[in-house]
Amino acid sequence: MTEAFIYDALRTPRGRGKPDGALHEVSTLGLAVSALNSLRRSLPEPGLVDDVVFGCVDPVGEAGANIGRAAALAAGYGDSVPGLQINRFCASGLDAVNFAAAQVMAGQHDLTVAGGVESMSRVGIGASGGAWPVDPSIAIPSYFMPQGVSADLIATKYGFSRDDVDAYAVESQKRATKAWAEGRFGKSIAPVRDANGLTILGHDEHIRSDATMQSLAALKPAFLMMGEQGGFDAVAIQAHPELERIEHVHHAGNSSGIVDGAAAVLIGNRKAGEKLGRKPRAKIRAFANIGSEPALMLTGPVDVTRKLFARSGLSFKDIDVIEINEAFAAVVLRYIQAFDLDPEKVNPNGGAIALGHPLGATGAMILGTALDELERADKSLALVTLCIGAGMGTATIIERV
């Protein structure tokens, strides 16, 4: 099998996903183009790219149809470069990387670009609709409930208190703040600029460096009303009758931030790197997807990690850096608990609670973060994983070259 190497990985800063966020004026296409253009530092001839694979979770309106092809054209990659849009909910950006790497591994493509984009301030969460929440034929047997209620179900089932999830959130903010102060994101951030070349945003906008246990304690549980009055607590208990009630512990401060952003990763075989005059930064070692229980929904990273290790022959003894998307604090705490991990190895530079989660882009973003951390800490192997709506998990292992 042909080896697939990562030659570069860049992302936009994450802008607050609200009308007053710095990136709200930039369209979904504009964000995607910004990410693709940033790769030109490693890709002087973009026409060499065999495919552009982009994740997008709500591909409707300005993000609709095929944002991968539109972005490739708008970024000037040339008519010959095709594009593809894929959607595996929150893992779309990482699955785009895996999809593009598989094209190279199969020997059918030499050079690909993968990534993702989401403008959550312009195209709202759930804008694309779907059968799962509204069609009783699937909603009832799969115990559909909002993700926040599922996160509270996980916290209740596995014993995470309000203090536990808040303490994790404060630590995420501290780590992200420290990472920015020490320039750990410097080589991977591509500022978003306007038509005149002026910087619109060059720094992650969602970080709350002043977050404390006291300030988070003042926030009310975000999913209490939909759980109790919306009837979803009853659904959760029906799925897990061993529980008497659901403890609602998640809120805006310990859940992933709603943000805008995009990311792009350059992947190719060794021949393509030589043609570009670039040395590989890492190699894609293994990747996997899995389905998990739809009611718990967000425990897929545990299941897919076990599958990935079984297929690759690796274990946590081999892994130096772990990046798991901080969709909710309980997701990461359950992952650490399930594998008895050293918390210091998990998300060492903070995560989506502090930085934000631009759905379709996040997987590609945290892959780049993991690669940067391998290089900074002079380590070898990193595991990247995300939980996914409807109960799924995606994971990838990269090896620093």
Side-chain angles (χ1 to χ4, degrees):
M1 183 182 295
T2 303
E3 292 181 312
F5 296 99
I6 299 172
Y7 287 97
D8 210 352
L10 286 153
R11 69 171 177 91
T12 69
R14 296 163 166 101
R16 284 186 298 111
K18 297 181 179 181
D20 62 349
L23 296 180
H24 177 67
E25 66 186 86
V26 184
S27 69
T28 304
L29 178 61
L31 291 174
V33 168
S34 181
L36 290 182
N37 280 337
S38 69
L39 284 182
R40 288 179 180 267
R41 72 180 188 183
S42 302
L43 188 62
E45 298 180 64
L48 296 175
V49 172
D50 291 306
D51 205 359
V52 172
V53 185
F54 252 52
C56 185
V57 173
D58 278 298
V60 294
E62 68 177 44
N66 182 351
I67 195 69
R69 172 62 169 168
L73 288 171
Y77 275 38
D79 294 351
S80 66
V81 178
L84 173 68
Q85 179 269 322
I86 65 172
N87 181 6
R88 201 189 298 273
F89 297 152
C90 295
S92 298
L94 186 60
D95 242 343
V97 171
N98 296 342
F99 191 102
Q103 293 175 323
V104 174
M105 290 173 170
Q108 304 307 304
H109 287 168
D110 294 325
L111 189 65
T112 58
V113 171
V117 62
E118 211 80 41
S119 178
M120 299 180 75
S121 70
R122 297 170 65 96
V123 182
I125 297 176
S128 56
W132 182 43
V134 299
D135 188 332
S137 68
I138 183 60
I140 293 173
S142 65
Y143 300 101
F144 169 78
M145 66 190 82
Q147 284 194 1
V149 178
S150 286
D152 287 337
L153 169 60
I154 292 169
T156 303
K157 182 176 177 65
Y158 294 105
F160 305 125
S161 68
R162 172 67 182 259
D163 281 351
D164 292 333
V165 292
D166 282 358
Y168 182 84
V170 170
E171 182 64 22
S172 179
Q173 297 284 359
K174 288 181 178 178
R175 292 183 183 186
T177 299
K178 180 180 179 182
W180 263 107
E182 296 181 355
R184 296 186 186 184
F185 299 134
K187 67 163 63 174
S188 297
I189 293 289
V192 178
R193 306 183 190 280
D194 64 16
N196 297 313
L198 300 177
T199 298
I200 297 173
L201 185 65
H203 189 283
D204 288 320
E205 194 179 23
H206 187 267
I207 297 176
R208 296 291 181 266
S209 302
D210 58 351
T212 64
M213 291 293 288
Q214 290 73 28
S215 64
L216 295 190
L219 299 176
K220 295 181 179 180
F223 309 103
L224 176 63
M225 184 174 294
M226 65 177 65
E228 293 186 350
Q229 299 181 22
F232 290 109
D233 279 4
V235 176
I237 293 170
Q238 186 179 27
H240 287 269
E242 72 276 12
L243 303 176
E244 293 183 0
R245 65 189 304 271
I246 304 302
E247 299 293 338
H248 291 281
V249 298
H250 288 92
H251 50 75
N254 57 35
S255 306
S256 55
I258 296 172
V259 294
D260 305 331
V265 182
L266 183 62
I267 301 167
N269 57 27
R270 195 172 293 277
K271 178 178 68 174
E274 291 171 352
K275 194 168 186 177
L276 292 173
R278 298 286 298 184
K279 293 182 179 180
R281 295 176 62 189
K283 178 172 66 175
I284 305 286
R285 279 287 299 269
F287 52 83
N289 298 295
I290 202 168
S292 60
E293 185 194 326
L296 283 175
M297 194 187 311
L298 308 173
T299 55
V302 174
D303 302 315
V304 77
T305 297
R306 289 174 176 148
K307 179 179 180 178
L308 186 59
F309 283 161
R311 292 172 63 90
S312 67
L314 297 169
S315 72
F316 277 115
K317 293 180 180 179
D318 305 301
I319 302 299
D320 301 301
V321 174
I322 302 163
E323 282 287 332
I324 173 171
N325 186 39
E326 294 175 354
F328 301 90
V331 172
V332 186
L333 292 176
R334 171 54 190 156
Y335 193 80
I336 292 170
Q337 180 191 68
F339 296 113
D340 192 22
L341 298 174
D342 177 0
E344 296 300 316
K345 291 179 62 174
V346 180
N347 298 351
N349 298 305
I353 290 173
L355 298 165
H357 175 24
L359 306 179
T362 303
M365 285 185 169
I366 65 176
L367 181 97
T369 299
L371 174 55
D372 285 346
E373 182 63 16
L374 287 179
E375 293 175 340
R376 186 195 71 82
D378 193 21
K379 299 295 185 180
S380 179
L381 289 170
L383 185 150
V384 180
T385 186
L386 301 92
C387 60
I388 308 172
M392 294 182 284
T394 296
T396 303
I397 295 173
I398 62 172
E399 180 180 6
R400 179 177 162 227
V401 176

